[in-house]
Amino acid sequence: MARVSLETDTARRLRDGMARGVLSFPLTSFRADGSLDPDGFRAHVAAQLATAPGAVFPACGTGEFFSLDEDEYRQVVTLAVEEAAGRVPVVAGTGYGWAQAVRFARIAEEAGADALLVLPHYLVAAPQDGLVAQLEQIAARTRLPLIAYQRGQVAFTAASLKRIAAIPTVIGLKDGHSDLDRLQRLTLAAPEGFLFFNGAATAEIQARAYATVGVPAYSSAVHAFAPEIANAFFAALRDGDGGTADELLRAFYVPLVELRDRVPGYAVSLVKAAARLRGRPVGPVRAPLTDPSAADLAALRTLLTTGLDLVGAAL
């Protein structure tokens, strides 16, 4: 397979989008009985797009990829592509072992996605050769550009980064480890034009630290329920407005992380609950996740009201 230039149309559009705004990871809408709600999802994606994100990443971690069957996945990616209508890149999630990841990759390709985010493989730890081989196997079976996601049991060395960057269609890496020493080594080992993304949980908390090692772009779970806050924080960083950034961190983001850390899975559950508080048709989470308790939901409402007040918006 010939090397795909890191300056492909998709890579250029992603780079431009990353400089312009946060990356949107829409929630997947479910009905009260747990079934997929396509109309709710379409409305949610449309609302996300109206706030000018740099790109849309459907069916990823925040979108409960791990809870979707193949037919639901097809619907989610297709609807995201239809709503985006070419305005921003659509990067669909894929994952599990490479054989299953390829099945999802082919569905995303048929649905019109622009690229794939390769989520960490399932369950087992693996050596560096295996991590590289996982991407090689997927890349050999889809024409879509790939962005590797290191998190959990996936962590690339600088030597492995060079190897995955040599895979013809691998165009970038999303980092969820927040090990800035390792990340700096990876950015230095990467070829010119290779894309890097801050994928830390509640990425705004570490956005300035990531930027110091050459990774200013980040995904924002907050954008899924409060794009006013997410965009205000992004603008503050872009414009060097440290006062506004610090105020949002102290009054909103840090308390949000403290609330998020109370219960496993709240990184998704709280986001969905906050979206519901704002009238978004996203529905509940699917097991094994659980919706927030009444006490935590009340705390979330108070925190969300505070954050919106800071940026001149209302619940």
Side-chain angles (χ1 to χ4, degrees):
M1 184 185 295
R3 171 76 233 182
V4 172
S5 169
L6 291 174
E7 286 304 318
T8 61
D9 180 61
T10 295
R12 281 194 298 270
R13 292 174 66 212
L14 279 168
R15 187 176 293 107
D16 290 346
M18 290 155 52
R20 186 178 63 250
V22 300
L23 306 175
S24 170
F25 283 66
L27 301 155
T28 298
S29 298
F30 299 121
R31 301 186 181 95
D33 64 2
S35 61
L36 184 69
D37 179 5
D39 292 338
F41 179 72
R42 184 187 287 278
H44 173 56
V45 172
Q48 291 279 282
L49 288 164
T51 62
V56 174
F57 287 66
C60 293
T62 305
E64 297 177 79
F65 166 78
F66 49 86
S67 292
L68 301 176
D69 65 28
E70 292 180 15
D71 180 63
E72 292 169 333
Y73 176 86
R74 184 185 302 277
Q75 293 183 69
V76 164
V77 177
T78 298
L79 289 168
V81 169
E82 289 177 357
E83 286 300 315
R87 288 176 288 170
V88 297
V90 175
V91 183
T94 190
Y96 306 116
W98 67 259
Q100 188 63 43
V102 167
R103 292 176 65 93
F104 284 102
R106 289 174 176 161
I107 293 169
E109 187 172 336
E110 292 167 1
D114 296 292
L116 294 164
L117 178 65
V118 182
L119 303 172
H121 63 270
Y122 173 68
L123 190 61
V124 296
Q128 292 294 308
D129 285 348
L131 299 181
V132 174
Q134 165 86 340
L135 288 169
E136 289 174 335
Q137 294 289 348
I138 298 169
R141 292 165 174 83
T142 176
R143 65 174 181 80
L144 292 179
L146 306 179
I147 299 167
Y149 189 4
Q150 64 169 19
R151 191 186 188 99
Q153 69 269 37
V154 176
F156 294 101
T157 63
S160 293
L161 188 282
K162 292 180 180 179
R163 292 173 64 190
I164 67 169
I167 298 171
T169 52
V170 175
I171 63 171
L173 176 77
K174 182 181 180 184
D175 174 73
H177 285 294
S178 304
D179 181 340
L180 297 185
D181 179 289
R182 176 188 289 266
L183 186 58
Q184 182 70 90
R185 295 169 190 266
L186 297 182
T187 61
L188 293 172
E192 184 177 357
F194 197 76
L195 303 176
F196 284 93
F197 307 82
N198 166 3
T202 316
E204 286 90 345
I205 290 287
Q206 301 185 67
R208 284 188 287 202
Y210 268 81
T212 64
V213 295
V215 185
Y218 60 90
S219 58
S220 175
V222 170
H223 189 272
F225 64 86
E228 305 96 328
I229 298 173
N231 288 342
F233 185 83
F234 181 88
L237 290 187
R238 180 195 61 205
D239 299 339
D241 184 355
T244 296
D246 285 345
E247 184 178 32
L248 287 169
L249 287 169
R250 288 194 193 98
F252 176 74
Y253 283 102
V254 170
L256 178 65
V257 169
E258 292 172 350
L259 182 58
R260 181 201 73 199
D261 289 346
R262 290 183 185 178
V263 177
Y266 265 18
V268 176
S269 301
L270 279 182
V271 174
K272 264 201 162 173
R276 291 195 301 274
L277 286 173
R278 303 202 71 196
R280 307 294 189 257
V282 297
V285 293
R286 275 182 174 174
L289 302 181
T290 58
D291 288 315
S293 67
D296 288 344
L297 190 60
L300 178 62
R301 179 186 289 274
T302 299
L303 179 56
L304 181 54
T305 300
T306 298
L308 289 169
D309 284 346
L310 287 173
V311 298
L315 185 63

